[in-house]
């Protein structure tokens, strides 16, 4: 059967046609953009459908969107549940991080395993995305105070 992980992620994405095409495919499932980026995410079995996956283990609607605002910004909103067997969530975060319009320390979202109550929080770092366990992150203070 397997266990599910809930994934929430929200950020403005840079206006990069290749990245936006991959995100649209992952969300809508239309035609696969080729060539695919050279990243471990795209070697996993479920990368194509991970942003559309759902289960009955978490309350709330599952949906992911990529929308353009009237000033040209591209906003990614993810709410999905998946079996994270190949570390798809962590690989997705690693792949998308360099393409975000965010500042160091900005909150991006969280993920939570089916059998845990406390989520793992996701914060942006230009070099890499930092994840903190809830118990560690709740006392970190403002983004400017985080190491």
């Amino acid at each position: 059967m397997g266990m599910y992980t809930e994934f929430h992620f929200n950020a403005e994405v840079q206006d990069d046609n290749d990245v936006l095409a991959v995100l649209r495919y992952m969300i809508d499932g239309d035609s696969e953009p080729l060539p695919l980026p050279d990243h471990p995410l795209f070697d996993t079995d479920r990368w194509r459908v991970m942003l559309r996956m759902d289960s009955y283990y978490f309350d709330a609607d599952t949906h992911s969107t990529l929308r353009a605002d009237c000033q040209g910004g591209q906003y990614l909103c993810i709410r999905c549940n998946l079996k994270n067997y190949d570390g798809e969530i962590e690989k997705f975060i690693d792949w998308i991080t360099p393409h975000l319009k965010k500042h160091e320390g900005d909150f991006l979202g969280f993920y939570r395993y089916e059998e845990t109550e406390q989520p793992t929080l996701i914060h942006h770092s230009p070099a890499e995305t930092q994840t903190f366990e809830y118990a560690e992150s709740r006392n970190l203070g403002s983004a400017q105070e985080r190491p």
Side-chain angles (χ1 to χ4, degrees):
M1 186 99 178
M3 304 299 274
Y4 284 86
T5 301
E6 177 179 34
F7 181 39
H8 289 248
F9 190 90
N10 298 287
E12 184 176 3
V13 181
Q14 294 173 1
D15 194 13
D16 179 322
N17 288 335
D18 293 336
V19 171
L20 296 174
V22 171
L23 289 171
R24 284 187 191 99
Y25 174 69
M26 292 176 76
I27 292 168
D28 298 328
D30 293 336
S31 59
E32 185 173 321
L34 295 174
L36 292 173
D38 182 23
H39 189 277
L41 171 65
F42 304 101
D43 294 329
T44 65
D45 291 335
R46 288 180 289 280
W47 77 266
R48 290 172 178 84
V49 295
M50 69 177 281
L51 302 184
R52 293 176 269 145
M53 295 181 79
D54 193 10
S55 73
Y56 292 100
Y57 295 103
F58 299 101
D59 298 331
D61 292 337
T62 295
H63 62 277
S64 297
T65 60
L66 179 65
R67 68 172 176 80
D69 72 3
C70 61
Q71 297 180 353
Q74 299 287 334
Y75 293 90
L76 177 64
C77 175
I78 298 170
R79 168 118 171 86
C80 62
N81 304 264
L82 62 141
K83 295 180 180 181
N84 193 35
Y85 295 153
D86 293 326
E88 290 92 347
I89 292 172
E90 295 84 352
K91 290 173 184 172
F92 175 82
I93 294 167
D94 184 68
W95 169 71
I96 197 65
T97 294
H99 307 288
L100 300 179
K101 289 185 176 180
K102 296 300 247 178
H103 296 18
E104 184 169 353
D106 284 352
F107 178 71
L108 299 174
F110 69 89
Y111 57 94
R112 181 172 64 100
Y113 186 64
E114 180 180 330
E115 291 186 333
T116 62
E117 290 298 319
Q118 302 300 333
T120 299
L121 303 180
I122 307 164
H123 293 90
H124 183 66
S125 172
E128 61 185 65
T129 299
Q130 301 172 357
T131 58
F132 303 98
E133 292 299 324
Y134 175 78
E136 297 170 5
S137 66
R138 65 178 175 215
N139 295 319
L140 284 176
S142 69
Q144 292 78 23
E145 297 172 354
R146 278 195 279 278

